[in-house]
Amino acid sequence: MATGAITRQDRQNISSGGAYENIFGYSRAVAKHGQIHVSGTCAPADFEGRGAYDQARAALRTISMALEAAGAELTDVVRTVVYVRNIADADDVARAHQETFDAIRPASTLVQVTSMLREWQLVEIEAYALVG
């Protein structure tokens, strides 16, 4: 093996136990070389019928748990991408994001999308963290 070669052992896949992870073939998060990429995260099924603020808070809790499993924390987040089904929910989602990241201030993007996997889902959030 050449000096500086990357090995597969440097990669850590993190599961949140969601059924769709096996159906779709993805990990909740992947950590490699000090980077942690957290997949688009929605609120769990018991948040069906709840508003965008509550769904965003639930998604951010799942993201926090994935980061913790990877040996990171919310303060390591450098970027988020937020998808909303209805741009009218932007203020509620922004409030949840601000409550979580106010002192951290990651780079962030918020965009409206036409649909999500399940009809009741209102928000999906991705996060990117750097550690070390």
Coordinates of all heavy atoms in Angstrom, one line a residue, residues 4 10 14 19 21-22 37 42-43 45-47 51 53 64 69 71 84 91-93 105 122 124 126:
G4 N 0.2 7.1 2.7 CA -0.9 8.1 2.6 C -2.2 7.5 2.0 O -3.1 8.2 1.8
D10 N -11.1 3.6 7.7 CA -11.3 5.0 8.1 C -12.7 5.5 8.0 O -13.0 6.6 8.4 CB -10.5 5.9 7.1 CG -9.0 5.6 7.2 OD1 -8.5 5.3 8.3 OD2 -8.3 5.8 6.2
I14 N -23.1 5.2 10.3 CA -24.0 5.3 11.5 C -25.4 5.1 11.0 O -25.9 5.7 10.1 CB -23.8 6.7 12.1 CG1 -22.4 6.8 12.7 CG2 -24.8 6.9 13.2 CD1 -21.5 7.7 12.0
A19 N -36.3 2.1 9.2 CA -36.5 1.0 8.3 C -36.1 1.3 6.8 O -35.7 0.5 6.1 CB -38.0 0.6 8.3
E21 N -33.6 2.9 5.8 CA -32.2 2.8 5.6 C -31.9 1.5 4.8 O -31.0 1.5 3.9 CB -31.4 2.9 6.9 CG -31.5 4.3 7.6 CD -30.8 4.3 8.9 OE1 -30.0 3.4 9.3 OE2 -31.1 5.2 9.7
N22 N -32.5 0.4 5.2 CA -32.3 -0.8 4.5 C -33.0 -0.9 3.2 O -32.5 -1.5 2.3 CB -32.7 -2.0 5.4 CG -31.7 -2.2 6.6 OD1 -30.5 -1.9 6.5 ND2 -32.2 -2.6 7.7
H37 N -21.1 13.4 7.4 CA -22.1 13.8 6.5 C -23.4 13.2 7.0 O -23.5 11.9 7.1 CB -21.9 13.4 5.1 CG -20.7 14.0 4.5 ND1 -20.8 14.9 3.5 CD2 -19.3 14.0 4.8 CE1 -19.6 15.4 3.1 NE2 -18.7 14.8 3.9
C42 N -35.8 13.6 8.3 CA -37.1 14.1 8.6 C -37.5 13.6 10.0 O -36.9 12.8 10.6 CB -38.1 13.5 7.6 SG -37.9 14.1 5.9
A43 N -38.6 14.1 10.5 CA -39.2 13.7 11.7 C -39.7 12.3 11.6 O -40.1 11.8 10.5 CB -40.3 14.6 12.2
A45 N -42.2 8.9 12.2 CA -43.6 8.8 11.9 C -44.6 9.3 12.9 O -45.7 9.7 12.6 CB -43.9 7.3 11.6
D46 N -44.2 9.3 14.2 CA -45.1 9.7 15.2 C -45.3 11.2 15.2 O -46.0 11.8 16.0 CB -44.7 9.2 16.6 CG -43.3 9.6 17.1 OD1 -42.4 9.9 16.2 OD2 -43.0 9.6 18.3
F47 N -44.6 11.9 14.3 CA -44.8 13.4 14.1 C -45.7 13.7 13.0 O -45.9 14.9 12.7 CB -43.4 14.1 13.9 CG -42.7 14.3 15.2 CD1 -42.0 13.3 15.8 CD2 -42.7 15.5 15.8 CE1 -41.4 13.5 17.0 CE2 -42.1 15.7 17.1 CZ -41.4 14.7 17.7
G51 N -46.8 20.2 13.2 CA -46.3 21.3 12.4 C -44.9 21.3 12.0 O -44.1 20.5 12.5
Y53 N -42.4 23.3 12.8 CA -41.5 23.6 13.9 C -41.2 22.3 14.6 O -40.1 22.0 14.9 CB -42.1 24.6 14.8 CG -41.3 24.8 16.1 CD1 -40.2 25.6 16.1 CD2 -41.7 24.2 17.3 CE1 -39.4 25.7 17.3 CE2 -41.0 24.3 18.5 CZ -39.8 25.1 18.5 OH -39.1 25.2 19.6
S64 N -28.5 15.3 15.9 CA -27.7 15.3 17.1 C -27.2 14.0 17.5 O -26.1 13.7 17.9 CB -28.4 16.1 18.2 OG -27.6 16.2 19.3
A69 N -23.1 9.6 17.8 CA -22.6 8.3 17.5 C -21.3 8.3 16.7 O -20.6 7.3 16.8 CB -23.7 7.5 16.7
G71 N -19.0 10.5 17.2 CA -18.0 11.2 18.1 C -17.9 12.7 17.9 O -16.9 13.3 18.2
V84 N -37.9 22.6 2.7 CA -39.3 22.7 3.2 C -40.3 22.5 2.0 O -40.0 22.8 0.9 CB -39.6 24.1 3.8 CG1 -38.8 24.3 5.1 CG2 -39.3 25.2 2.8
D91 N -40.4 30.4 8.5 CA -40.2 31.0 9.8 C -40.2 30.0 10.9 O -39.3 30.1 11.8 CB -41.2 32.1 10.0 CG -41.0 33.4 9.2 OD1 -39.8 33.5 8.6 OD2 -41.9 34.2 9.1
D92 N -41.1 29.1 10.9 CA -41.2 28.0 12.0 C -39.9 27.1 11.9 O -39.3 26.8 13.0 CB -42.4 27.2 11.8 CG -43.7 27.9 12.2 OD1 -43.6 28.9 13.0 OD2 -44.7 27.5 11.7
V93 N -39.5 26.8 10.8 CA -38.3 25.9 10.6 C -37.0 26.7 11.0 O -36.2 26.2 11.7 CB -38.2 25.4 9.2 CG1 -36.9 24.6 9.0 CG2 -39.3 24.5 8.9
R105 N -23.8 28.9 14.4 CA -23.9 29.7 13.2 C -23.3 29.0 12.0 O -22.4 29.5 11.3 CB -23.3 31.1 13.3 CG -24.0 31.9 14.3 CD -25.4 32.3 13.9 NE -26.1 33.0 14.9 CZ -26.7 34.2 14.8 NH1 -26.7 34.8 13.6 NH2 -27.3 34.7 15.8
L122 N -43.0 17.7 6.2 CA -42.9 19.2 5.9 C -41.5 19.7 5.8 O -41.3 20.7 5.1 CB -43.7 20.0 7.0 CG -45.1 19.6 7.2 CD1 -45.7 20.4 8.4 CD2 -45.9 19.8 5.9
E124 N -37.0 18.6 5.8 CA -35.9 17.6 5.8 C -34.6 18.4 6.0 O -34.5 19.5 5.4 CB -35.9 16.8 4.5 CG -34.8 15.8 4.5 CD -35.0 14.8 3.3 OE1 -36.1 14.6 2.8 OE2 -34.0 14.2 2.9
E126 N -30.3 18.3 6.2 CA -29.0 17.6 6.1 C -28.0 18.4 7.0 O -28.2 19.6 7.2 CB -28.4 17.7 4.7 CG -29.3 17.0 3.6 CD -28.7 17.3 2.2 OE1 -27.7 17.9 2.1 OE2 -29.4 16.8 1.3

